[in-house]
Amino acid sequence: MSYRTITAEADKTIGTNANWDGIEAEAVARMRLQNRFRTGLDIARYTARIMREDMAAYDADPSNYTQSLGCWHGFIGQQKMISIKKHFGSTKGRYLYLSGWMVAALRSEFGPLPDQSMHEKTSVPALIEELYTFLRQADARELGMLFRSLDTARKNGDEMEVKRIEAAIDNHETHVVPIIADIDAGFGNAEATYLLAKKMIEAGACALQIENQVSDEKQCGHQDGKVTVPHEDFLAKIRACRYAFMELGIEDGIIVARTDSLGAGLTKQIAFSREPGDLGDQYNAFLDCDEVAIADLKSSDVVIARDGKLMKPKRLPSNLFQFRKGSGEDRVVLDCITSLQNGADLLWIETEKPHVQQIAGMVDRIREAVPNAKLVYNNSPSFNWTLNFRQQVFDAWTAEGIDVSAYDRDRLMSVDYDGTALGIEADKRIQSFQKDAAERAGIFHHLITLPTYHTAALSTDNLAKEYFGAQGMLGYVQGVQRKEIREGIACVKHQNMAGSDMGDDHKEYFAREAALKAGGEHNTMNQFAAA
């Protein structure tokens, strides 16, 4: 609905209420446009549709892959989307990622925690709501600036500019984009998963990422000690998430099924099996077992039948059972096929390195059963990207017979190799990794889990070094403010970013000529008028 139409409708309503003195139709229209999304469910419904359209576009052409960065605060997410609109003109194909790791490390009331699902489960939907609050505020701010420009154009009698701005208002692209939100292993049983999923969806999440680890043994995907659950247990949680979406009217909500089986060598349970070849039997077939005789059994031993033999699964003092070494990839493939066949929409395979061919090998096998299988992939900061890709190039060149005698594979991270042919080739492969993996390995969505954790640390370190050192105030001015001004960073006008101008607009709506506004000639923000 156009700006003029909304204004006309508001004017009609106001006209039927003679005692609504001072209520202006255009102010009502502006406030409505600045508050396009009324609830988190409005957001989830809108963003789910976007994500489904993007998935279809990727199926038609893998160059249409999507991307996101993990954000641990609403302001970080807001600034990211403002920057994307500034540099690329559109938010299309760019999402937000909500990392359970960063919630644990930065948002828990217990203080910084490891990524082991020990943080309060309600902190996840709270962050989703916070992110969308800041994104909606970015919409309101941007539209408010357009409204002010419209008022100026009208005051100047510039009809062409008025029409241009009205068209910009009618075609305004929201900063609200899909969030892929980490629900970890569900924070309990399937009922707990369902309850938390509802809270996350009500906060605005259209996509929930859930993993096949044991909830009370959950580990970061890039750490050791991961313990997986039998397929039926995981499928129950996938169904719980789907029921949550359906109950809340988000029929096209997205479920991302993550498998940690590639790096997980342990299970807490032996799966229940009704008949040979069922899912439970397939899961148990991966257990590392020794053949035993009845006479050799102890009172606490657990045994299973395999190929007509009595087998004892290897059990650790922790009461966990081991999988056979080298079975990780086969378990991943079965996990992924099973998840997609039982309600999941996208896959996440947690790997130990970013290697296109390794990922592609597993995806090829999955696609034999589910041809349109596609992945969300973690371009993780836990990978040493420089070292990994230099090693990949070193190994590839060695296999091709190219002379690598000038390089020491054990010290390829050295700055000495930055300008070398090998270093340059590795950087080219890093640069094209997302494109290559989208085309060859079925990766629909590339995310980085913890980028803003690292950027905050790096930028703060640089500022502290300069400001508290010999540079003094110049450390801030030269390293931050001058760059903000020259690079057009929106928050250089931090009062505006925090809502000062919107507050002034509301004061004028409510109090008219009696409004005491903050944006007068003495506001120091005016020093950045040319920024």
Side-chain angles (χ1 to χ4, degrees), residues 454-468:
H454 292 279
T455 54
L458 179 61
S459 61
T460 302
D461 179 80
N462 288 333
L463 176 59
K465 176 180 64 178
E466 299 295 331
Y467 178 76
F468 293 103

Side-chain angles (χ1 to χ4, degrees), residues 143-154:
L143 283 165
M145 292 164 69
L146 286 170
F147 297 147
R148 285 167 177 254
S149 297
L150 180 61
D151 291 341
T152 299
R154 286 173 175 171

